Amino acid sequence: MKYCPLCDSQQLDDFHQDKFRRYVRCRQCDLVSVPDEYLLSTEQEKAIYDQHQNDATDLGYRRFLSRAWQPLLAYIDGSMQGLDFGCGPGPTISEMAKEQGINMSNYDLYYFNEPQLLTRRYDFITMTEVIEHVADAKQLIAQLDSVMASGSVIAIMTKRAKDEAAFAGWHYKNDLTHIRFYSDNTFKWLAEKRGWRLEFADKDVVLMFKPS
């Protein structure tokens, strides 16, 4: 890996190695990445996702998603149009929204791949346990920015990387579909770069606000 997949910096340091993969950390944006030679194929990746049993009627799963949904509710209402980006095979946040009179569309590369949804603008976006799976982090952020209306907000749920000692024992890195790990500093860098306002809403949830 010669360049950081988020900021294109060449200032990458070896960060950690386990029995499965090597990890590098960017000095500029603090993103921890798995080098490309360890990335799964799309077929391998989808086979893992197909094993997920997420269901909109599962109360435990709803409680989990509420960690992102509840902070977001303070900023949205029924007049707004939302997008659940990376909704997976069992869209749930959109169902939770519907119950409160809020409309959301569902998009997922593997399960709800409707490209026309990414040609529109949305007042709010949810992206729960998605960002850590996407190899081209820079392109992903640009794509999200393109569908965010002025004054919109995005709720991102992902567990955040800390120092190397914590990373070494971190279960989150053991999922082979997790390939990009964002820290507090990564989100701060991203917010400054994009001119977004950042709010740390939970230990693994950030809200980012695009200016009007």
Side-chain angles (χ1 to χ4, degrees):
M1 177 176 279
K2 295 181 179 179
Y3 301 96
C4 172
L6 179 60
C7 72
D8 287 334
S9 172
Q10 297 183 52
Q11 297 180 314
L12 302 175
D13 297 321
D14 287 332
F15 182 63
H16 182 72
Q17 180 143 10
D18 58 28
K19 62 183 179 180
F20 301 110
R21 307 183 291 186
R22 187 166 62 88
Y23 307 82
V24 297
R25 188 169 217 163
C26 176
R27 289 186 211 167
Q28 178 165 275
C29 71
D30 209 44
L31 185 75
V32 175
S33 295
V34 173
D36 291 351
E37 61 264 29
Y38 298 100
L39 302 188
L40 303 179
S41 68
T42 53
E43 292 78 15
Q44 291 170 319
E45 200 173 43
K46 186 174 184 296
I48 293 173
Y49 298 153
D50 285 344
Q51 297 172 22
H52 293 179
Q53 300 296 317
N54 299 336
D55 187 317
T57 63
D58 184 333
L59 295 180
Y61 186 48
R62 282 176 168 245
R63 279 194 298 273
F64 172 72
L65 294 176
S66 288
R67 302 219 313 264
W69 178 243
Q70 286 300 323
L72 183 61
L73 272 176
Y75 300 99
I76 63 175
D77 59 44
S79 69
M80 297 179 174
Q81 174 64 41
L83 174 71
D84 187 12
F85 186 98
C87 61
T92 300
I93 282 189
S94 59
E95 290 299 311
M96 294 162 64
K98 187 188 299 182
E99 290 161 9
Q100 302 197 40
I102 300 172
N103 191 48
M104 294 186 75
S105 299
N106 293 306
Y107 174 81
D108 191 281
L109 179 64
Y110 292 117
Y111 302 104
F112 289 83
N113 192 352
E114 299 180 35
Q116 72 273 14
L117 292 175
L118 302 182
T119 64
R120 304 171 189 168
R121 296 275 180 136
Y122 298 90
D123 302 303
F124 68 95
I125 298 172
T126 56
M127 189 166 63
T128 55
E129 296 293 316
V130 173
I131 199 170
E132 67 277 3
H133 296 275
V134 180
D136 193 341
K138 181 180 179 181
Q139 192 276 333
L140 171 65
I141 298 302
Q143 186 174 53
L144 291 170
D145 187 32
S146 74
V147 297
M148 291 174 71
S150 297
S152 62
V153 55
I154 182 169
I156 300 173
M157 174 186 276
T158 187
K159 293 192 182 303
R160 299 198 287 272
K162 295 183 170 60
D163 57 45
E164 199 277 336
F167 193 90
W170 199 26
H171 75 281
Y172 203 61
K173 74 178 187 325
N174 298 333
D175 184 332
L176 297 183
T177 66
H178 291 180
I179 54 177
R180 307 292 183 243
F181 303 94
Y182 294 68
S183 67
D184 288 3
N185 287 334
T186 308
F187 283 116
K188 289 174 183 175
W189 177 89
L190 184 55
E192 183 177 352
K193 184 75 173 177
R194 287 282 169 179
W196 295 345
R197 181 172 72 81
L198 172 65
E199 178 182 317
F200 290 104
D202 192 276
K203 63 182 179 180
D204 54 4
V205 177
V206 299
L207 301 180
M208 305 188 83
F209 300 83
K210 186 173 183 176
S212 300

